[in-house]
Amino acid sequence: MTSGAIATSLLAAALLPGALFQWGFERNAGRYGIGLKDRILRVTGTSALFLAMFAWPLHWLYANYWDQIAAGKILPRLIYAIPIIYLLIPSIIGWIYGSSLKKEKAWARKLAGTNRFPTAWDYALSGRKGGWIRCQLKSGIWVGGLFSDLNSGEDVKSHKRSYASGYPEAHELYLYPTVLMDRETGEFKTREDGQPLLGIGGLLLFGEEIAIVEFIDTLDWNGEHA
């Protein structure tokens, strides 16, 4: 193996912890920051932090087993666990951090800072535990549906639920299930107990079609048009 190939391999190995941390984080919390430069800096900085954490075991491995590794000799079985741990720990930490941030844990919010969402669309639609959304389209008509991280209970087997795209994808909003409403006023049609009447199926909306998006938390629902 040439010196250039070795250098490239070492650089890739050095950056892998940060990349895996980022993957675990974004699997739960969504995209963070804007632009390629921002993501490269985050991966590089996180990798440097994990390399500092792994400095001692990596030095021990180099000091005691590098000659055997270079010669292609068989190593003790426990040594093979070090690369697995080296890659697994950043993924787990990223997953826990992203999951905690999505659940609005105080420590995760403080660590992430106040401006982690790249756009207002991502901020408004991220981490909503449960509630209703109604949208006035540019055509003037109103549509709406349930927007929740949990299943609506109407279609448990399919596990369908509402979904919103995130940066850098085009703004799209899928509402499932829909809510029956007056298309002209946006007033929800309700049952005798005051809860909204659910429609059949889902509704896909594109950002360029939407003029207004209104969020109604479940606990604030009073069955009346705001």
Side-chain angles (χ1 to χ4, degrees), residues 59-109:
H59 179 267
W60 175 84
L61 181 66
Y62 173 80
N64 292 276
Y65 293 98
W66 181 251
D67 291 339
Q68 297 181 43
I69 294 173
K73 295 181 180 180
I74 297 177
L75 302 174
R77 292 183 179 180
L78 289 177
I79 300 300
Y80 294 101
I82 293 179
I84 297 175
I85 295 173
Y86 178 73
L87 299 178
L88 189 61
I89 288 180
S91 301
I92 293 175
I93 294 177
W95 185 279
I96 293 174
Y97 179 34
S99 178
S100 299
L101 191 59
K102 186 176 181 180
K103 295 176 181 178
E104 296 294 320
K105 298 291 186 180
W107 69 269
R109 292 202 315 269

Side-chain angles (χ1 to χ4, degrees), residues 6-26:
I6 293 175
T8 301
S9 300
L10 290 175
L11 179 61
L15 293 176
L16 270 175
L20 290 171
F21 171 86
Q22 190 72 11
W23 173 81
F25 173 81
E26 291 186 353

